[in-house]
Amino acid sequence: MTTHSPQSAQRDHGLTVADAMETCDYQIADDNTVDRANDILHSAHVEYLLVRDHNGRCEGLVTRTGLHPFLASSWYTERTAISATSHQRGPFAWPTMGLTLAALAMRIKRLAVWPVVDDDGYILGVLTADRATGVLAAAPA
């Protein structure tokens, strides 16, 4: 269990990840191939896909950049499942996490996007670094 100090709550202005998270319309099952993920990324004009396991729980996040090594050989992309790639995996953010803490964790981990999950690991949305920074900057002092 994580406890938060009164000072961190004041710096957060009471804001949580839920205040800044966005929906994510694009997801892919972890048993889909790199080819399929690449097709979705290009056709949807998005930079990332949330990856879910066979139970529907969040498995991670795959980016265009992360797929580059696999796209060099077409025979490899047709046979490689997303689960076999090195993509961003947990731990993930949760909606009740303080927004300042989440933004700090994202900076330390160098994450532009962080999946947000419920207590059972199901995807609720994503937190982007830009959105977190913007919400914190707009919060009254």
Side-chain angles (χ1 to χ4, degrees):
M1 180 171 169
T2 303
T3 58
H4 300 284
S5 68
Q7 290 90 6
S8 75
Q10 288 172 349
R11 284 191 307 258
D12 269 342
H13 309 285
L15 295 172
T16 65
V17 167
D19 296 315
M21 75 178 194
E22 302 170 12
T23 61
C24 182
D25 297 327
Y26 298 98
Q27 301 176 14
I28 191 166
D30 63 354
D31 60 353
N32 276 274
T33 64
V34 169
D35 254 357
R36 178 73 179 127
N38 191 45
D39 289 345
I40 295 170
L41 288 167
H42 283 288
S43 64
H45 304 288
V46 294
E47 293 297 318
Y48 61 87
L49 295 171
L50 289 175
V51 181
R52 62 183 187 286
D53 67 12
H54 65 280
N55 291 321
R57 289 184 174 89
C58 188
E59 191 340 272
L61 182 126
V62 66
T63 63
R64 288 182 185 206
T65 305
L67 293 180
H68 282 298
F70 298 93
L71 298 173
S73 302
S74 63
W75 67 269
Y76 200 62
T77 62
E78 294 169 359
R79 296 187 178 116
T80 304
I82 293 298
S83 60
T85 66
S86 57
H87 57 276
Q88 178 188 328
R89 299 177 192 264
F92 305 116
W94 60 97
T96 57
M97 180 181 211
L99 188 56
T100 300
L101 177 62
L104 177 62
M106 290 179 76
R107 274 195 301 277
I108 291 169
K109 294 179 174 190
R110 295 184 177 104
L111 300 175
V113 181
W114 200 10
V116 180
V117 299
D118 66 13
D119 291 338
D120 295 318
Y122 292 101
I123 299 167
L124 298 174
V126 294
L127 178 64
T128 64
D130 290 342
R131 176 86 171 136
T133 301
V135 170
L136 287 169

